Amino acid sequence: MRLLLLVASLLFSGAAFADTSPKYEVRAVWLATIGGIDWPRSSYAPAQKEELRVMLDRLKDAGINTVLFQARVRATTVYPSALEPWDVCVTGTPGRSPGYDPLQLCIDLCHERGMECHAWVVTLPVGKWNAQGCQQLRKQYPKLIRRIGEEGYMDPEQWQTAEYLSKVCREIVHNYDVDGIHLDYIRYPETWKIKVSRQQGRENITRIVRQINQTVKAEKPWVKMSCSPIGKHDDLRRYRSGGWNARTAVCQDAQEWLRIGLMDQLYPMMYFRGNQFYPFAIDWQENAYGRTVVGGLGTYFLDPREGNWTADVVEREMNVLRQLGMGYCHFRAKFLCDNIRGVYDFTKQFCATPALVPPMTWSGVQPPRQPQGLTLKGNILSWTPPSSSAICYNLYASEDFPVDVNLAENIVATKLSRTAVSLGKNAGRMNYAVTAMDRYGQESYPVQLLVNAGPKYSAPEIAITDGRPVRVPQSSVIDADFIIIETLSGKPVATRRYAPTVSVNGIPDGVYQLRTLGRKGRNHRIGFFSIKRKR
């Protein structure tokens, strides 16, 4: 009954998304290279580079912050590899180099645009039996490749499979500044006659995932591990999967991989509608174990030649995924960029404010220190890096002060690699804040700069206390469970359970702000106060 009520509340809660756009949300797209179906459309290198630039510009404008770029295709690659030959898609000739590195280009272009680039690695399928990639692997590992029809597959029951795929992933992570390794088809093929028990089958696939995870994390622990499991994890009590699910049908125990830390993200391929989508989305969300789950959207079904879905199917699913606190990933880039049934226009409106990729809070690494010395000279905003290492910076602006860095609407730019930016002619109208961010996506406290103290700036009303409890402004309380006391720069100094008054014992004299923290993690600034004890 709880699941039915939750589905109903999500479906009929309306599509008013503009006021609830979150600060953290994965907004992703699969960019396929196999056969050049998304990219490249040309076999001419200069044209390919321009195609990719144009596509990534378009994706950036639509609010996409994560690109899953197909780097390993079918035991072939779109980067120079010491292990496997070039894929045919880049030149039209198997094994021939295009004269540049497409994976490096995609990484550079994504990072210039503040987007993450994950290397999408197709794992077990190795292509046509007599194709170059499959042939090369068969010669190197005669007993490793199984034939099903005209296709070759790496045998998930052989220990060499985990070893070899780990080498492929290590080569990518060692040579490239990728933000993630995204495993595709990390499961038994649906045409494979599984003779072992389902439990043993799951252990076989998990063994491969574990070895890849250990290899990647040993090389660069901040690289996100993710995969694209079948869209339904398993049968639910009230909703059946129709025999096509991850855990039982193909031994893909993806929720367990989240639980034991082998995956940082999941992108389940949820290319379904109605009750084949919503209950299973809730199931993924309820079994995320604090990690990130990103619902894969069947955007390609909007094409009349594919499925002829109406636009509201994908629009409603995006709304529900957001309400569940999940991200979303379009399959594929071409269908999004081609604006099939207006999906690009809707996505651009839906993502009207920028969003950061959720941080890997489970990493155990301390966030970076805050930047210092934020100044505005002319229209150049600059700051000093923190003493601890920081990879990039996020810029916020608002007419309010201090700038609330928890609001998505205040984000101006993300993942800046430099410590100075050129602002527009009206730079003096806003107030600014900058945070440092590490490779795990963790932010520092903000450094704040008050610029606009003019007519549009109204100084906050500040309550003054001599050390006695501070009264909480009741008209501002929404769903408070806790009251957080912060410095004006946003650094928490104390947390109290909600009450009409909060104690300031142990807090030094100074000016502070009050925030509420509610049951769903929402927080709101509700006032300011100053402590000035009698001497």
Side-chain angles (χ1 to χ4, degrees):
M1 179 60 71
R2 176 179 178 274
L3 183 59
L4 287 170
L5 291 174
L6 185 52
V7 171
S9 68
L10 289 171
L11 289 177
F12 295 104
S13 59
F17 50 79
D19 294 333
T20 58
S21 184
K23 175 181 176 179
Y24 295 107
E25 186 172 66
V26 173
R27 302 167 176 177
V29 65
W30 278 287
L31 200 165
T33 59
I34 185 169
I37 55 176
D38 285 335
W39 179 91
R41 309 307 298 275
S42 170
S43 58
Y44 180 52
Q48 291 178 359
K49 295 176 183 180
E50 183 60 20
E51 285 174 13
L52 192 56
R53 289 189 186 96
V54 170
M55 176 173 280
L56 293 176
D57 278 340
R58 191 153 169 78
L59 293 174
K60 172 66 175 177
D61 287 344
I64 298 300
N65 59 23
T66 303
V67 174
L68 308 177
F69 180 76
Q70 192 173 26
R72 185 187 194 237
V73 186
R74 292 294 187 272
T76 52
T77 67
V78 292
Y79 59 90
S81 171
L83 300 172
E84 297 182 330
W86 284 95
D87 188 74
V88 66
C89 74
V90 286
T91 62
T93 302
R96 178 183 291 179
S97 167
Y100 74 102
D101 188 336
L103 176 56
Q104 185 63 61
L105 177 63
C106 190
I107 293 168
D108 292 342
L109 293 176
C110 284
H111 288 177
E112 287 172 10
R113 289 156 178 76
M115 305 191 311
E116 291 194 357
C117 182
H118 296 213
W120 167 6
V121 176
V122 179
T123 56
L124 297 186
V126 292
K128 298 295 183 183
W129 190 251
N130 291 316
Q132 187 178 21
C134 184
Q135 276 191 335
Q136 180 171 305
L137 271 180
R138 287 195 288 121
K139 289 178 181 178
Q140 189 175 0
Y141 300 97
K143 297 182 180 181
L144 184 58
I145 309 302
R146 291 275 300 273
R147 182 171 184 169
I148 303 178
E150 295 301 314
E151 303 289 328
Y153 295 87
M154 303 186 77
D155 188 343
E157 297 172 6
Q158 300 291 327
W159 65 267
Q160 294 100 328
T161 295
E163 182 181 71
Y164 183 80
L165 290 173
S166 295
K167 289 179 181 178
V168 170
C169 294
R170 183 189 182 278
E171 181 181 55
I172 295 172
V173 173
H174 181 78
N175 293 336
Y176 296 94
D177 187 22
V178 291
D179 298 288
I181 291 291
H182 179 68
L183 304 179
D184 187 17
Y185 225 108
I186 188 70
R187 56 184 171 87
Y188 274 84
E190 55 268 35
T191 50
W192 190 288
K193 295 181 180 179
I194 304 176
K195 296 181 180 179
V196 298
S197 68
R198 284 302 190 269
Q199 179 60 35
Q200 182 59 54
R202 288 190 285 271
E203 291 175 4
N204 291 337
I205 302 298
T206 298
R207 181 181 66 250
I208 301 171
V209 172
R210 179 177 289 107
Q211 188 159 342
I212 294 173
N213 174 283
Q214 292 172 348
T215 300
V216 167
K217 296 295 185 178
E219 190 73 28
K220 293 175 183 175
W222 58 83
V223 171
K224 297 180 179 72
M225 284 297 308
S226 71
C227 72
S228 51
I230 300 300
K232 303 167 187 174
H233 180 64
D234 215 333
D235 288 334
L236 304 178
R237 180 181 295 181
R238 298 183 66 91
Y239 297 91
R240 312 299 291 178
S241 64
W244 183 233
N245 59 64
R247 188 174 186 272
T248 299
V250 292
C251 301
Q252 193 175 38
D253 208 359
Q255 290 181 358
E256 177 69 2
W257 300 340
L258 286 179
R259 189 187 72 81
I260 62 180
L262 296 182
M263 287 288 162
D264 301 300
Q265 299 178 330
L266 291 184
Y267 293 74
M269 300 180 292
M270 304 183 66
Y271 313 149
F272 312 106
R273 294 180 288 182
N275 284 342
Q276 294 300 301
F277 181 92
Y278 301 110
F280 295 94
I282 294 168
D283 178 60
W284 286 113
Q285 185 268 341
E286 289 182 340
N287 292 280
Y289 299 100
R291 307 293 171 107
T292 305
V293 180
V294 183
L297 298 166
T299 306
Y300 69 108
F301 278 133
L302 294 172
D303 190 314
R305 295 165 295 183
E306 298 288 346
N308 205 27
W309 283 5
T310 55
D312 67 296
V313 174
V314 171
E315 293 172 7
R316 188 178 294 274
E317 289 178 354
M318 289 174 69
N319 272 290
V320 169
L321 290 171
R322 174 172 287 179
Q323 291 176 56
L324 289 172
M326 300 168 65
Y328 37 89
C329 185
H330 292 279
F331 187 80
R332 308 180 326 259
K334 177 186 184 299
F335 296 96
L336 177 61
C337 290
D338 285 353
N339 199 25
I340 304 296
R341 296 196 187 278
V343 66
Y344 181 89
D345 294 336
F346 176 83
T347 299
K348 187 173 182 178
Q349 183 187 12
F350 192 72
C351 302
T353 58
L356 300 179
V357 173
M360 298 167 68
T361 54
W362 50 88
S363 67
V365 175
Q366 290 296 314
R369 297 181 183 276
Q370 68 188 128
Q372 302 295 322
L374 184 60
T375 60
L376 179 65
K377 294 182 179 180
N379 67 340
I380 303 298
L381 186 72
S382 62
W383 57 91
T384 303
S387 55
S388 60
S389 62
I391 301 302
C392 58
Y393 304 91
N394 299 318
L395 171 61
Y396 302 82
S398 174
E399 292 185 349
D400 294 330
F401 188 83
V403 178
D404 192 340
V405 299
N406 294 296
L407 296 178
E409 64 197 57
N410 290 339
I411 301 174
V412 176
T414 62
K415 302 191 75 172
L416 296 168
S417 59
R418 54 197 184 279
T419 57
V421 293
S422 177
L423 303 173
K425 294 180 180 179
N426 297 320
R429 293 178 53 190
M430 307 295 284
N431 304 303
Y432 299 95
V434 173
T435 61
M437 191 164 71
D438 63 17
R439 293 307 303 261
Y440 300 90
Q442 300 179 121
E443 283 189 285
S444 70
Y445 296 119
V447 56
Q448 300 268 359
L449 177 64
L450 173 62
V451 176
N452 176 21
K456 290 191 175 182
Y457 171 76
S458 57
E461 182 178 342
I462 300 179
I464 300 176
T465 177
D466 59 3
R468 286 177 286 189
V470 174
R471 184 176 298 278
V472 176
Q474 294 302 299
S475 61
S476 302
V477 175
I478 301 176
D479 62 347
D481 283 341
F482 296 92
I483 298 293
I484 304 172
I485 301 173
E486 296 181 347
T487 65
L488 293 185
S489 66
K491 182 178 182 179
V493 295
T495 301
R496 310 285 194 238
R497 285 202 169 273
Y498 171 75
T501 60
V502 295
S503 170
V504 297
N505 288 342
I507 300 175
D509 287 6
V511 181
Y512 301 91
Q513 55 183 330
L514 287 171
R515 284 188 174 277
T516 62
L517 180 63
R519 287 176 290 281
K520 294 184 178 180
R522 298 192 183 99
N523 68 72
H524 308 273
R525 187 173 63 212
I526 59 172
F528 298 81
F529 71 94
S530 171
I531 305 175
K532 189 174 182 180
R533 294 178 174 88
K534 296 177 181 179
R535 302 299 181 188

